[in-house]
Amino acid sequence: MTVLSLSSDLPDELSEDVVRRLVQVFYVRARADAVLGPIFEKHVGHRWEAHLSALVDFWSSVALMSGRYSGKPHLAHVPLGLAPEHFERWLRLFEETVPEVCQGPAAAFLVDRAHRIADSLQIGLGIGSKALRLPAKTVADAS
């Protein structure tokens, strides 16, 4: 039985430099965005450089499996009051930015991961079309 390294399945074009450039270019745009910018400013504007560094580590872990990120992104997004529209905007900006940083399989890989992240966060936050909707408990259910 042959066991392949997960990293061997990654596009050759992906590198720490690509991840760093993507995060820097994308989050300049996200901060300047009329919808997303105020959220970033309110919650991380006072510590932007540290947040950007954490985002580079996060995307390095997602894209290159570096394991550098050890935070809890779901918990970090809970107090932000996000709605599905915020994720749609984030994804649109991301999809517009990726081709400026990389092309081909690497670009497709990063966009796919962004969609998975958006889905996962929305599920975790209980918003959007993929959120788990459990029936409300009633008094009769408790007996």
Side-chain angles (χ1 to χ4, degrees):
M1 176 175 160
T2 304
V3 177
L4 296 176
S5 164
L6 289 177
S7 62
S8 69
D9 296 333
L10 298 174
D12 292 336
E13 302 85 6
L14 275 179
S15 66
E16 287 290 343
D17 184 54
V18 167
V19 168
R20 189 176 307 101
R21 282 187 292 128
L22 175 61
V23 168
Q24 290 170 342
V25 172
F26 172 70
Y27 283 99
V28 163
R29 288 187 179 159
R31 278 186 89 185
D33 184 77
V35 174
L36 301 177
I39 297 168
F40 281 110
E41 191 57 35
K42 179 180 178 183
H43 295 279
V44 294
H46 60 287
R47 55 183 178 83
W48 184 252
E49 290 305 317
H51 186 65
L52 195 60
S53 179
L55 289 168
V56 170
D57 289 346
F58 173 80
W59 277 98
S60 174
S61 293
V62 167
L64 301 170
M65 292 179 273
S66 68
R68 289 200 327 249
Y69 181 77
S70 61
K72 296 179 176 153
H74 286 87
L75 292 178
H77 288 81
V78 168
L80 305 183
L82 299 175
E85 297 77 27
H86 294 109
F87 288 94
E88 291 166 14
R89 182 80 160 216
W90 183 85
L91 284 168
R92 187 170 68 244
L93 283 175
F94 195 86
E95 290 171 349
E96 291 170 0
T97 305
V98 168
E100 296 176 24
V101 176
C102 61
Q103 303 289 315
F109 179 86
L110 290 166
V111 168
D112 174 71
R113 289 305 182 270
H115 279 267
R116 291 175 189 230
I117 290 164
D119 286 347
S120 176
L121 286 172
Q122 289 182 83
I123 290 166
L125 294 171
I127 62 174
S129 62
K130 295 181 181 177
L132 182 60
R133 306 281 187 237
L134 297 175
K137 285 194 169 196
T138 64
V139 175
D141 292 338
S143 51

